[in-house]
């Protein structure tokens, strides 16, 4: 019978990941239920979490089945001694299961575990033939083999791995070439292995060491990109969010990185602010730091790679009421309305605009910038229910704030019955807002007739 140690390890990791996903899903569901202005992105994220839970259950079922089955010796990984799920070949021609050989290499080893030969390179080549043979065997045994892309790699950091981690941090204060090499490796480690992200949470000093190269006078865009990307990866870990954001230099350096460096650096800086803003206390810190200004500037520049990360960060920060005022003050309404008029990232930006429509000055700006015809056009022509909902919510706020806008709405309704159609076919919130506008229009007509 095959040994089951690796499966016990996988099961423990999966349980941890499952609990994390359930916690995140609960937050999203609460947000959807309690906030009538919740965005379509929040709903999509909840759907993604449900899909991830489904995939985890399938993987657990598959792994449980594998515990009970015998498998041929040649299908077993020389390191784990269990059935390989993602076989790959190293430089010596030996085949290993990818997560286990990756862990071996990331621990600083540069030899083949089986032959003990020094590896001429550390490129891992997929062994498609072996994968096909294993897949056929699994099929014959009634076993569902997980897709390599869905295989969860949550292997713990070994003692050698921990030593390598400390060595890389130390190298960040060495020569430029050593800094670059260390930063690149830390970026890869924290991207691929959640356990390495967790290591940064063990000491504030580790974060200071990571950020050390960004305090240098000489500017190296590639080094900055790797450090900021590593910081993003570290911030993904739930237990790190509060610790990372409360280090004063973190938000300052992220703000600086929003303004300069490669576009990937700027995008990842925005993504890091979005990730950190998941904690309410961090929303306060980030808002007070003045980060919304640089985020809005980057949004205005319109780099496609950065747009979704920037929009997500702004949306998340504006869930806090005082940050709405800061966003309005920093020109968010002007930038967003202009981009929506140009048909750019309408879904994401309408969600932000709908959130800002609870702020009086924001609503005044929307009216002044000519948002009403654009919103009516979206309601009339869009096939997206959430875009229609956000548009009518914004329109409702504008019209009830500025009576001069009723003429445009009345003409649109007379010509196309746009609001009436939405009151019949829209989402529950859209129907409510549309009915409110229709009621006001009807009152105005009745008042005129009576007069």
């Amino acid at each position: 019978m095959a040994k089951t140690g690796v499966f016990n390890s996988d099961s423990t990791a999966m349980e941890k990941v499952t609990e994390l996903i359930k916690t995140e899903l609960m937050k999203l569901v609460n947000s959807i239920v309690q906030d009538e202005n919740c965005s379509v992105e929040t709903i999509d994220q909840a759907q993604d979490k449900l899909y991830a839970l489904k995939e985890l259950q399938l993987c657990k079922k598959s792994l449980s089945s594998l515990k009970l089955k015998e498998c041929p010796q040649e299908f077993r990984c020389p390191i784990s001694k269990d059935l390989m799920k993602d076989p790959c070949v190293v430089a010596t021609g030996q085949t290993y299961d990818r997560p286990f050989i990756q862990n071996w290499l990331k621990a600083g080893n540069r030899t083949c575990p089986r032959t003990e030969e020094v590896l001429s390179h550390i490129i891992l080549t997929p062994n498609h033939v072996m994968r096909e043979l294993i897949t056929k065997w699994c099929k014959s045994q009634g076993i569902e083999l997980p897709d390599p892309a869905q295989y969860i790699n949550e292997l713990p950091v070994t003692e050698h791995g921990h030593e390598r981690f400390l060595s890389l941090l130390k190298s960040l204060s060495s020569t430029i070439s050593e800094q670059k090499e260390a930063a690149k490796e830390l970026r890869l480690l924290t991207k691929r292995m959640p356990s390495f992200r967790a290591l940064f949470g063990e000491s504030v000093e580790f974060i200071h060491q990571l950020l050390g190269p960004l305090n240098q006078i000489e500017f190296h865009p590639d080094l900055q990109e790797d450090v900021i990307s590593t910081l993003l990866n570290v911030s993904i870990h739930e237990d790190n969010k509060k610790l990372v954001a409360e280090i004063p230099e973190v938000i300052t350096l992220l703000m600086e990185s929003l303004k300069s460096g490669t576009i990937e650096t700027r995008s990842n800086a925005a993504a890091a602010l979005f990730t950190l803003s998941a904690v309410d206390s961090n929303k306060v810190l980030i808002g007070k730091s003045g980060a919304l200004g640089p985020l809005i500037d980057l949004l205005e520049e319109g780099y496609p790679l950065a747009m979704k990360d920037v929009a997500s960060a702004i949306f998340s920060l504006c869930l806090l009421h005082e940050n709405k005022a800061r966003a309005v003050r920093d020109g968010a309404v002007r930038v967003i309305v202009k981009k929506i008029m140009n048909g750019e990232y309408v879904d994401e930006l309408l969600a932000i605009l709908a959130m800002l429509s609870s702020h009086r000055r924001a609503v005044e700006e929307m009216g002044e910038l000519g948002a009403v015809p654009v919103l009516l056009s979206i309601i009339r022509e869009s096939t997206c229910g959430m875009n229609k909902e956000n548009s009518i919510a914004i329109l409702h706020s504008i019209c009830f704030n500025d009576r001069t806008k009723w003429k445009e709405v009345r003409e649109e309704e007379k010509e196309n019955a746009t609001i009436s159609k939405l009151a019949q076919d829209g989402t529950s919130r859209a129907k409510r807002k549309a009915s409110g506008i229709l009621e006001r229009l009807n009152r105005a007509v009745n008042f005129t007739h009576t007069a």
Side-chain angles (χ1 to χ4, degrees):
M1 293 291 288
K3 296 179 182 178
T4 59
V6 67
F7 295 113
N8 293 331
S9 173
D10 282 342
S11 297
T12 302
M14 284 185 180
E15 288 301 329
K16 290 180 181 178
V17 176
T18 299
E19 287 307 310
L20 178 58
I21 291 175
K22 285 182 177 179
T23 300
E24 293 172 345
L25 178 61
M26 190 173 296
K27 290 179 182 178
L28 290 166
V29 171
N30 286 338
S31 175
I32 292 169
V33 172
Q34 296 173 12
D35 182 7
E36 69 169 11
N37 293 320
C38 78
S39 70
V40 67
E41 181 182 32
T42 303
I43 297 171
D44 287 341
Q45 288 174 351
Q47 289 176 330
D48 289 343
K49 298 302 178 189
L50 286 169
Y51 181 80
L53 282 175
K54 177 183 176 182
E55 294 302 312
L56 277 171
Q57 292 302 320
L58 290 174
C59 286
K60 278 197 232 178
K61 183 178 179 181
S62 299
L63 289 171
S64 297
S65 298
L66 289 172
K67 290 181 186 179
L68 306 174
K69 301 288 183 178
E70 294 181 355
C71 70
Q73 187 64 38
E74 62 269 25
F75 293 166
R76 298 181 185 181
C77 173
I79 299 174
S80 70
K81 309 301 181 187
D82 280 290
L83 185 69
M84 291 184 283
K85 304 167 192 68
D86 190 5
C88 60
V89 182
V90 299
T92 59
Q94 297 295 319
T95 296
Y96 299 92
D97 202 2
R98 183 178 295 275
F100 293 94
I101 190 62
Q102 280 182 335
N103 197 49
W104 168 265
L105 295 173
K106 287 169 186 174
N109 299 298
R110 289 297 179 267
T111 58
C112 174
R114 174 176 273 177
T115 67
E116 298 185 353
E117 296 176 58
V118 175
L119 297 170
S120 58
H121 60 77
I122 58 171
I123 297 172
L124 302 178
T125 306
N127 190 333
H128 296 298
V129 174
M130 179 62 75
R131 169 75 185 182
E132 186 177 350
L133 290 172
I134 291 173
T135 300
K136 287 181 178 178
W137 179 82
C138 286
K139 189 174 181 180
S140 70
Q141 299 296 313
I143 299 170
E144 182 181 355
L145 188 66
D147 188 302
Q150 299 170 351
Y151 183 54
I152 298 173
N153 181 15
E154 184 67 52
L155 297 174
V157 177
T158 63
E159 183 179 346
H160 290 298
H162 199 279
E163 291 174 1
R164 180 61 180 163
F165 171 74
L166 296 176
S167 173
L168 290 170
L169 289 178
K170 186 177 180 180
S171 295
L172 290 175
S173 60
S174 188
T175 64
I176 288 296
S177 60
E178 288 179 308
Q179 286 179 18
K180 289 183 176 181
E181 186 177 341
K184 191 167 291 296
E185 187 168 346
L186 281 169
R187 177 181 181 175
L188 292 173
L189 286 172
T190 52
K191 178 181 179 180
R192 297 171 179 169
M193 298 185 69
S195 49
F196 270 90
R197 299 173 200 159
L199 284 181
F200 277 93
E202 293 180 0
S203 172
V204 172
E205 184 55 32
F206 292 160
I207 306 295
H208 286 299
Q209 287 178 273
L210 171 65
L211 300 177
L214 299 185
N215 294 317
Q216 298 170 162
I217 297 175
E218 191 176 359
F219 183 73
H220 295 273
D222 52 341
L223 178 56
Q224 180 194 27
E225 181 182 310
D226 286 333
V227 169
I228 291 298
S229 300
T230 301
L231 185 61
L232 166 60
N233 296 338
V234 171
S235 300
I236 291 171
H237 196 280
E238 198 67 28
D239 293 339
N240 290 345
K241 294 184 190 299
K242 191 170 176 62
L243 177 145
V244 170
E246 291 181 353
I247 298 173
E249 64 182 304
V250 168
I251 296 176
T252 301
L253 289 171
L254 286 173
M255 286 172 60
E256 291 175 2
S257 297
L258 287 171
K259 305 172 188 176
S260 62
T262 67
I263 188 56
E264 187 165 357
T265 295
R266 301 173 75 189
S267 176
N268 285 346
L273 288 171
F274 167 62
T275 301
L276 292 172
S277 69
V279 177
D280 287 342
S281 60
N282 289 351
K283 287 184 177 71
V284 177
L285 289 173
I286 296 169
K288 286 183 176 179
S289 73
L292 276 160
L295 282 168
I296 292 165
D297 290 341
L298 185 52
L299 183 71
E300 185 171 22
E301 290 182 51
Y303 292 104
L305 181 65
M307 288 294 284
K308 290 201 173 184
D309 288 323
V310 175
S312 297
I314 294 172
F315 181 89
S316 179
L317 289 169
C318 288
L319 289 169
L320 188 71
H321 182 71
E322 49 264 44
N323 283 341
K324 293 180 185 179
R326 295 185 177 108
V328 174
R329 180 198 63 204
D330 290 336
V333 175
R334 175 186 59 79
V335 172
I336 292 172
V337 169
K338 183 179 178 181
K339 288 199 172 295
I340 290 175
M341 285 179 170
N342 292 334
E344 300 176 46
Y345 298 92
V346 174
D347 299 7
E348 295 86 351
L349 298 182
L350 270 176
I352 300 174
L353 208 59
M355 181 177 295
L356 294 178
S357 66
S358 63
H359 188 279
R360 185 176 181 83
R361 180 54 196 154
V363 174
E364 291 173 354
E365 282 191 47
M366 292 175 206
E368 293 165 4
L369 291 165
V372 171
V374 181
L375 295 169
L376 287 169
S377 174
I378 293 171
I379 296 170
R380 184 175 65 249
E381 299 173 5
S382 176
T383 57
C384 175
M386 186 56 68
N387 284 353
K388 289 174 180 284
E389 178 182 314
N390 284 329
S391 295
I392 195 68
I394 299 165
L395 188 63
H396 187 277
S397 296
I398 295 174
C399 289
F400 280 84
N401 179 73
D402 182 357
R403 67 180 63 183
T404 66
K405 305 303 176 186
W406 285 104
K407 182 179 178 182
E408 294 173 80
V409 177
R410 190 179 297 109
E411 290 175 354
E412 173 69 27
E413 180 63 16
K414 184 178 180 180
E415 185 174 347
N416 299 301
T418 300
I419 310 299
S420 296
K421 291 174 183 175
L422 189 61
Q424 293 294 321
D425 305 326
T427 63
S428 58
R429 178 167 172 252
K431 288 178 180 179
R432 217 166 46 243
K433 297 292 185 181
S435 296
I437 291 176
L438 288 173
E439 184 180 341
R440 176 63 179 266
L441 287 174
N442 291 333
R443 280 210 311 266
V445 170
N446 292 335
F447 177 79
T448 302
H449 288 172
T450 301

